[in-house]
Amino acid sequence: MSTYSKGLEGVVAAETRMSFIDGEKGVLEYVGIAIDDLARNSNFEETVFLLWNTRLPKKSELEAFRGDLRSRYDLPPSAIDALRHIPKSAQPMHVLRTMVSSLAFLDAHPNANDLPSARDKSLTILARTPTIIAAFDRIRRGLNIVPPRKDLSFSANFLYMLNGEVPTPTMERAFDVCMILHADHGLNNSTFTARVVISTLSDVYSALTAAVGSLRGPLHGGANEEVMEMLGEIPSLDAVEPYVMGKLAKKERIMGFGHRVYKAIDPRATFLKTLAKQLAADTGNQDLYEKSTKIEEIMAREVAAKGIYPNVDFYSATTYHSIGLKLDLFTPMFAMSRIAGWAGHIIEQLDGNRLFRPKAEYVGPHNEKYVPIAER
Ligand code: CMC
C-alpha cells in the first residue's frame, strides 16, 4: 500500500507534543500556547523548559532550570583550543557543525541514550552553542575571547560574549524574542534529520550535528543570509520592483518567501515584521525595512495566489542586521535557538523509538546483462 510523495509532502512521519502548525490559517503553537502569546510574555529559557517538559514551569522550577543551563555556559579549554586551530576563513555554520560533533570527545559516555542522559547532553550542548559561536567570531576578528557570565540570560550572555558589553534591555529582549520564535517548528527538514539519525540509536551529538548540516541549506535556515544578500544587492527602493520582477520572470526564487506548510502568512513573520520595523528605526536601518515591505507588496500582488507569503527568514534578516549581527552569523542564530527543538524531538523519538526506514521506488531497468569492461 505504498504511495510516493516527492519531498515527503503531506506525509505524517512522527508524533510530537511540542509544536502545532495550521498552515492554512497561519497558526503556530508551542504545547498549545500561541507563538504570539509566548513571544510577548515568555522568554527563551522558559520556552525551552516548556518544550522539553510540555508544560510551563513553576517559579522555582524555572529558577532551577535557568541555573542549571547557565552553569554549563563554559567551554572546556580543549574546545577553546580546537576553535583557535580552525582557519579564520571558515564559515560559522561549518564551525558550529564540527564543534557540536567534537563535544562528544569531552563526554565520558557520549553514546548514552537513556532519557535522563539525552536531556543532560542536550542541556550542555544548548548552553555551549552560544559560547562556541561567540568565541569563534572573536578569534577570527583577532579579539580576546570574552568568558560567559552566568548571571546573564541565554540571550544577553550571547550578545555579551560576542560584543564584550552587556546588551541594552531592548536589544536583549529583541534577540530573546527571535530565539523564542525559532525554537521549534514541527517536522521541518533539520528536525526530521535529527529524528532520523537518533532513530538508529546513534547518539545525541550525531543527531544534532546532522541537524546543523541540514539547517545550513538555502532552502531551509540558510535563507535568512540569502535575504540579507538580496537586500544588499538592491541599490534603492526604486530598484526593488525591477529586481523582483526580473527574478520572477526568470523563475528564480525570492528568498524568505514560501513554505512547505504555510499557505498563509507565517505567524513568526508577522511578529518579526513588527520587531524589524522598531529595531530598524532605532538603529538607522529603515532602508532595509522599506525595501523588505516593498518586496512583500510586490510578492503579494504577483504570487500570493499560489500561497507564497513571507516566512520566518524574511524579516529576521533586517532584525538580525539591526541587532548588529554579521551576515554569516544569521543561520548560526537560527541553529542556536533550534537546538532546543531538535533536542526535544530527539528525546521524543528516544521515548518509544522506531527506526525510520522508508522505501525508494526503483525506476531503473531490469534484466540487464553484466558487460565485461573490455566490451563497453
Ligand atoms: N519565490 C518564488 N516562487 C516560489 C517561491 C519563492 N520563494 N517558493 C515557491 N515558489 C513557487 C515555485 O516556483 C512553484 O511554482 P510553480 O508551481 O509555478 O512551479 C511553487 O511556488 C511551489 O514551489 P515548491 O518548490 O514545490 O514548494 P515547496 O513546498 O517544495 O517549497 C520552499 C518550499 C521553502 C523550499 C520554497 O518556498 C522556497 O524555495 N523558498 C525560498 C527559500 C526559503 O525562504 N526558505 C526558508 C523556508 S522557511 C524557514 C525554514 O524552513 O528554515
Side-chain angles (χ1 to χ4, degrees):
M1 301 303 286
S2 309
T3 48
Y4 168 51
S5 171
K6 194 170 183 185
L8 297 183
E9 181 164 6
V11 172
V12 178
E15 286 183 326
T16 183
R17 294 181 185 281
M18 294 197 292
S19 53
F20 166 78
I21 307 164
D22 183 334
E24 298 298 326
K25 295 193 183 132
V27 170
L28 169 62
E29 297 169 351
Y30 293 167
V31 197
I33 306 175
I35 193 68
D36 204 58
D37 198 0
L38 286 167
R40 278 176 213 290
N41 299 309
S42 186
N43 54 70
F44 181 65
E45 290 163 330
E46 183 180 59
T47 299
V48 179
F49 184 102
L50 171 70
L51 290 171
W52 290 6
N53 296 281
T54 60
R55 65 175 176 84
L56 286 169
K58 292 191 196 320
K59 193 164 182 277
S60 58
E61 289 174 321
L62 180 58
E63 274 161 18
F65 182 72
R66 250 185 202 147
D68 198 1
L69 175 74
R70 294 179 187 186
S71 72
R72 300 175 190 226
Y73 284 162
D74 279 311
L75 269 184
S78 63
I80 297 278
D81 216 40
L83 278 170
R84 291 194 194 282
H85 285 89
I86 292 173
K88 291 191 172 64
S89 58
Q91 292 172 19
M93 278 301 276
H94 290 291
V95 174
L96 181 62
R97 191 193 56 235
T98 299
M99 290 303 296
V100 167
S101 174
S102 74
L103 292 179
F105 310 154
L106 307 167
D107 185 336
H109 305 285
N111 303 340
N113 273 339
D114 57 285
L115 296 186
S117 298
R119 287 176 79 103
D120 188 62
K121 291 174 201 314
S122 299
L123 193 67
T124 304
I125 300 169
L126 177 70
R128 288 178 174 173
T129 299
T131 320
I132 291 170
I133 298 168
F136 176 70
D137 186 63
R138 290 189 69 91
I139 292 168
R140 71 177 174 169
R141 285 190 281 149
L143 300 172
N144 288 338
I145 294 173
V146 176
R149 263 182 51 182
K150 296 174 178 52
D151 59 319
L152 295 178
S153 71
F154 183 88
S155 295
N157 176 55
F158 170 69
L159 293 174
Y160 166 70
M161 291 188 296
L162 190 72
N163 301 322
E165 47 188 64
V166 177
T168 62
T170 311
M171 282 299 172
E172 176 186 356
R173 181 67 196 145
F175 189 75
D176 204 55
V177 166
C178 292
M179 293 293 102
I180 294 171
L181 295 176
H182 285 86
D184 190 43
H185 204 242
L187 207 57
N188 59 85
N189 191 295
S190 53
T191 300
F192 183 48
T193 301
R195 287 189 82 133
V196 168
V197 173
I198 203 68
S199 83
T200 68
L201 299 184
S202 180
D203 60 282
V204 172
Y205 298 96
S206 297
L208 291 176
T209 301
V212 175
S214 154
L215 187 74
R216 199 191 68 74
L219 295 187
H220 193 6
N224 57 14
E225 295 184 13
E226 306 235 350
V227 171
M228 194 62 220
E229 277 168 8
M230 168 175 76
L231 294 173
E233 274 170 27
I234 305 175
S236 65
L237 203 54
D238 288 342
V240 171
E241 175 92 26
Y243 180 93
V244 174
M245 294 308 287
K247 284 235 171 209
L248 292 179
K250 284 187 268 167
K251 299 245 171 260
E252 284 174 16
R253 285 172 189 225
I254 302 296
M255 289 295 164
F257 282 82
H259 200 280
R260 174 63 62 78
V261 181
Y262 290 117
K263 299 305 165 201
I265 191 155
D266 178 336
R268 300 166 299 173
T270 310
F271 203 94
L272 281 164
K273 183 176 179 179
T274 313
L275 197 59
K277 185 179 184 183
Q278 277 165 12
L279 287 175
D282 291 351
T283 56
N285 286 301
Q286 287 98 327
D287 60 321
L288 291 180
Y289 180 76
E290 283 162 14
K291 280 187 222 169
S292 303
T293 50
K294 183 85 187 155
I295 296 172
E296 190 186 348
E297 264 170 49
I298 299 166
M299 290 295 278
R301 189 186 73 209
E302 298 295 325
V303 294
K306 281 197 211 170
I308 300 169
Y309 293 93
N311 59 49
V312 68
D313 289 317
F314 190 59
Y315 284 104
S316 26
T318 301
T319 304
Y320 286 147
H321 182 83
S322 301
I323 288 174
L325 295 168
K326 278 192 289 305
L327 176 70
D328 63 2
L329 293 183
F330 288 13
T331 316
M333 296 307 95
F334 194 156
M336 210 162 93
S337 159
R338 186 56 62 83
I339 282 196
W342 294 332
H345 279 267
I346 287 170
I347 295 161
E348 280 190 331
Q349 185 66 35
L350 285 170
D351 189 10
N353 180 56
R354 187 156 193 241
L355 177 76
F356 278 102
R357 204 319 185 176
K359 293 195 292 189
E361 191 172 316
Y362 177 69
V363 293
H366 290 284
N367 300 322
E368 296 285 308
K369 289 270 175 298
Y370 179 79
V371 181
I373 196 157
E375 293 169 28
R376 285 177 218 159

